[in-house]
């Protein structure tokens, strides 16, 4: 075997080993069940060949469906493995990219390992999400683009980059933010493109071919799957879904209370996500890259600025609104980490000029092991059944024929998954209240729940409100899971929320319950519930909302005891609420008010 062949063989062995190590770590800690976030919705769409929220994520949905057909493990675990595979492969691509640029296998491997165990990157490798697939596609795009820059005569590399740029857009639209860096490379190698019209035509064709997965959306919608966002039936519907018009095309979230806040705070949160070692090596690496590979310095800087600080700044997500705001934003830290990872290899080589590369490698390898050891339990999702337990407990709480109203994703999406995929609670109607503002969702409710009378074509909380919905379904039970917000006060005059375990039943004010009846009812229900331990709840995630939902009945009873002057009983129930959720502010305030 020639020396060159031996080197290539060793390179691929190292790349495969890095992928295997990352895959093992992610596999061991991957979620075996649904978890909070978009995962229940994405799994539901993948299993049923449906259409998830805008922009529809056709590539993820099709790949997720293929993973759901694997003949082992629970259905959520099968689809979750798509994220494990994608981020593991991303680690291998990052290694190959860094090696092409810096020429050192050790430095490139260490850079890839640092990315693999970054707590944010690791945590978002464990459940169904579109971001790991985005990482893989963009890392491949960068690899082919850099390879073409080094070998501009290899036109197929550029064509592959254009194909991947189109394909990436069918998964997540943040990939378009790499376009300025892409254009910079094209300008750098413009001499190889002048007059080459066939190359331009081939690249354009490859880009268009990459967009073909979008055909899945009208195909899927035409088959009326059980989860079908937008109910796409026209070119206008299709364009609205792709453009995310229901959210506002320039907004990350559609919830008004989450918008605003400091752009600087969001960018600082992005920088903190790198960690001390990777962050320091990134800075050193940028300096070293400038001296060794100036073109790549500018490419990396432009790409990072686009997918990182620029995008994070314009998300307009207020980190001070709720603890879960950072949870929502963190997913967008992954691509900036992937883009900047090759700089780490240059940073390692810069330090290695002072200390030996082996010593630097040993220190970083030790840091990697320490990182795994200190973060393993916190990040591990293999025993997380919080979302499932909550959904099952809610369905066990209500009677057949009940109409459940909810707003928050952390509350309603587990219910939708359990009902749609596993058939749990099929005798109950689950209504995602915010979606009722869209006529397509109202049409779907009428089609799938003929017994549910919706007296309007869209819900606005004012002219078309909850009172109209309740009174149009006289005799049916309405339950609220997790709250319905403050914008609709139409029920206040004639109805009140009776706490019935994890839900509030909308009752006429003419119907009365004694405090003893409420206590006995909630005692009976709570004895069957499975609230999570505060130690197992991920900080700043929607799991906190679920924990609060378990604690809320005890708070409500304490509040009612306080209202009738029985302060000792009130204190006992406030303390009971805090034993479930120590962070439930209303219970803590109630406890302070009832001090003897």
């Amino acid at each position: 075997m020639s020396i060159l062949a031996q080197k290539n063989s060793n390179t691929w062995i190292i790349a495969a080993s890095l992928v295997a190590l990352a895959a093992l770590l992610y596999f061991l800690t991957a979620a075996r069940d649904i978890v909070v976030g978009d995962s229940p919705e994405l799994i539901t769409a993948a299993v049923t060949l449906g259409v998830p929220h805008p922009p529809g994520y056709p590539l993820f949905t099709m790949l997720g469906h293929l993973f759901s057909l694997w003949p082992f493990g629970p259905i959520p675990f099968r689809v979750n493995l798509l994220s494990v595979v994608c981020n593991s492969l991303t680690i291998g691509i990052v290694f190959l990219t860094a090696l092409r640029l810096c020429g050192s296998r050790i430095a490139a491997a260490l850079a890839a390992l640092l990315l693999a165990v970054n707590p944010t990157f690791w945590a978002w490798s464990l459940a169904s999400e579109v971001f790991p697939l985005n990482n893989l596609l963009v890392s491949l795009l960068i690899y082919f683009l850099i390879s073409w820059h080094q070998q501009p005569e290899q036109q197929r590399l550029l064509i592959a980059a254009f194909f991947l740029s189109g394909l990436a857009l069918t998964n997540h639209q943040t990939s378009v933010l790499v376009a300025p860096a892409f254009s910079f490379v094209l300008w750098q190698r413009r001499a190889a493109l002048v007059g080459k019209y066939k190359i331009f035509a081939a690249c354009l064709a490859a880009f268009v071919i990459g967009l073909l997965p979008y055909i899945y959306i009208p195909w899927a919608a035409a088959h009326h799957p059980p989860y079908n966002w937008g109910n796409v039936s026209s070119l206008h519907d299709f364009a609205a879904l792709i453009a995310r018009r229901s959210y506002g095309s320039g907004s990350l979230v559609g919830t008004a209370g989450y918008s605003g806040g400091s752009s600087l705070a969001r960018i600082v949160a992005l920088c903190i996500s790198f960690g001390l070692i990777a962050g320091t090596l990134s800075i050193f690496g940028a300096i070293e890259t400038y001296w060794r590979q100036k073109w790549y310095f500018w490419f990396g800087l432009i790409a990072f600025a686009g997918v990182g600080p620029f995008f994070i700044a314009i998300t307009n997500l207020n980190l001070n609104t709720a603890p879960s705001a950072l949870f929502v934003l963190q997913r967008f830290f992954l691509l900036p980490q992937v883009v900047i990872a090759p700089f780490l290899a240059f940073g390692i080589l810069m330090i290695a000029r002072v200390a030996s590369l082996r010593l630097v490698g040993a220190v970083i390898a030790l840091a990697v092991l320490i990182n795994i050891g200190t973060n393993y339990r916190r990040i591990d999702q293999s025993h997380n059944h919080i979302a499932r337990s909550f959904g099952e407990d809610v369905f066990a709480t209500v009677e057949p024929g009940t109409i459940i109203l909810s707003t928050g994703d952390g509350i309603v999406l587990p219910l939708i998954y359990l009902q749609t995929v596993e058939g749990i609670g099929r005798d109950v109607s689950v209504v995602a209240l915010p979606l009722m503002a869209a006529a397509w969702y109202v049409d779907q409710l009428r089609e799938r729940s003929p017994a549910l009378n919706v007296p309007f074509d869209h819900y606005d909380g004012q002219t078309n409100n909850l009172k109209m919905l309740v009174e149009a379904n006289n005799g049916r039970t309405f339950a609220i899971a997790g709250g319905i917000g403050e914008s609709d006060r139409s029920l206040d005059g004639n109805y009140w929320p009776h706490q019935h375990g994890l839900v509030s039943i909308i009752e006429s004010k003419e119907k009365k319950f004694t405090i003893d009846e409420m206590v006995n009812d909630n005692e009976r229900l709570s004895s069957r519930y499975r609230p999570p331990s505060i130690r197992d709840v991920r900080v700043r995630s929607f799991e906190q909302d679920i924990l609060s939902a378990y604690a809320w009945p005890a708070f409500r009873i304490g509040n009612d005891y306080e209202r009738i002057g029985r302060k000792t009983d009130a204190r006992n129930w406030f303390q009971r609420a805090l034993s479930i959720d120590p962070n439930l502010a209303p219970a803590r305030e109630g406890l302070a008010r009832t001090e003897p």
Side-chain angles (χ1 to χ4, degrees), residues 51-54 217 221 227-234 236-238 240-241 246 435 438-441 443-444:
V51 180
H53 68 275
I217 292 176
Y227 194 85
N228 183 18
W229 187 296
N231 203 25
V232 172
S233 59
S234 68
H236 178 270
D237 295 339
F238 181 71
L241 185 77
S246 58
L435 294 187
W440 64 263
Y441 184 71
D443 290 341
Q444 285 188 8

Side-chain angles (χ1 to χ4, degrees), residues 126-437:
L126 310 180
S128 298
E129 267 291 0
V130 296
F131 299 92
L133 180 55
N134 195 39
N135 296 336
L136 176 59
L137 294 172
V138 174
S139 65
L140 276 169
L141 165 63
I142 292 173
Y143 175 76
F144 279 110
L145 202 55
I146 289 171
S147 300
W148 176 74
H149 184 277
Q150 294 176 338
Q151 300 171 285
E153 72 282 358
Q154 298 292 325
Q155 298 169 1
R156 65 181 184 276
L157 297 172
L158 181 61
I159 294 171
F162 270 91
F163 169 74
L164 285 164
S165 64
L167 194 63
L169 283 174
T170 68
N171 177 64
H172 205 280
Q173 294 171 344
T174 54
S175 60
V176 76
L177 298 172
V178 182
F182 196 137
S183 301
F184 171 77
V185 174
L186 294 178
W187 179 254
Q188 282 276 299
R189 285 290 181 256
R190 60 191 180 278
L193 299 173
V194 174
K196 305 288 181 63
Y197 301 112
K198 289 184 178 180
I199 298 177
F200 283 109
C203 288
L204 179 60
F207 177 78
V208 172
I209 291 171
L211 293 174
L212 287 180
Y214 271 126
I215 295 174
Y216 165 83
I217 292 176
W219 174 87
H223 287 78
H224 301 287
Y227 194 85
N228 183 18
W229 187 296
N231 203 25
V232 172
S233 59
S234 68
L235 186 60
H236 178 270
D237 295 339
F238 181 71
L241 185 77
I242 301 302
R244 304 176 71 251
R245 287 179 191 162
S246 58
Y247 289 118
S249 298
S251 302
L252 179 59
V253 293
T255 307
Y258 273 70
S259 60
S262 167
S263 298
L264 180 60
R266 294 192 289 273
I267 294 173
V268 168
L270 167 64
C271 295
I272 291 173
S273 73
F274 283 87
L276 181 60
I277 294 176
T280 303
L281 288 174
S282 297
I283 296 171
F284 288 166
I287 298 170
E288 185 74 5
T289 305
Y290 182 83
W291 294 113
R292 290 195 183 202
Q293 299 268 13
K294 189 171 294 186
W295 76 270
Y296 179 71
F297 167 81
W298 289 112
F299 169 83
L301 189 65
I302 295 169
F304 174 71
V307 301
F310 172 75
F311 178 76
I312 297 301
I314 67 171
T315 55
N316 200 33
L317 183 63
N318 191 342
L319 297 183
N320 294 322
T321 53
S324 57
L326 182 59
F327 174 74
V328 173
L329 189 64
Q330 274 183 335
R331 303 167 293 175
F332 297 92
F333 296 168
L334 306 184
L335 194 54
Q337 292 176 355
V338 170
V339 168
I340 214 71
F343 278 8
L344 304 183
F346 285 100
I348 291 167
L349 292 178
M350 183 180 188
I351 296 174
R353 290 209 301 268
V354 178
S356 71
L357 184 56
R358 288 187 177 182
L359 177 60
V360 174
V363 172
I364 292 177
L366 179 61
V368 166
L369 292 174
I370 292 174
N371 200 335
I372 293 173
T374 55
N375 289 297
Y376 193 96
R377 187 187 181 284
R378 178 176 65 86
I379 293 175
D380 181 18
Q381 295 296 299
S382 62
H383 302 290
N384 186 346
H385 302 286
I386 293 173
R388 170 179 293 277
S389 296
F390 174 76
E392 291 176 345
D393 285 347
V394 168
F395 281 128
T397 299
V398 299
E399 297 296 325
T402 299
I403 302 165
I404 298 179
L405 306 175
S406 189
T407 55
D409 287 355
I411 302 296
V412 74
L413 292 182
L415 301 179
I416 289 174
Y417 165 81
L418 291 171
Q419 186 177 71
T420 305
V421 177
E422 300 188 12
I424 299 172
R426 284 221 170 139
D427 51 3
V428 170
S429 297
V430 176
V431 177
L433 200 55
L435 294 187
M436 290 191 73

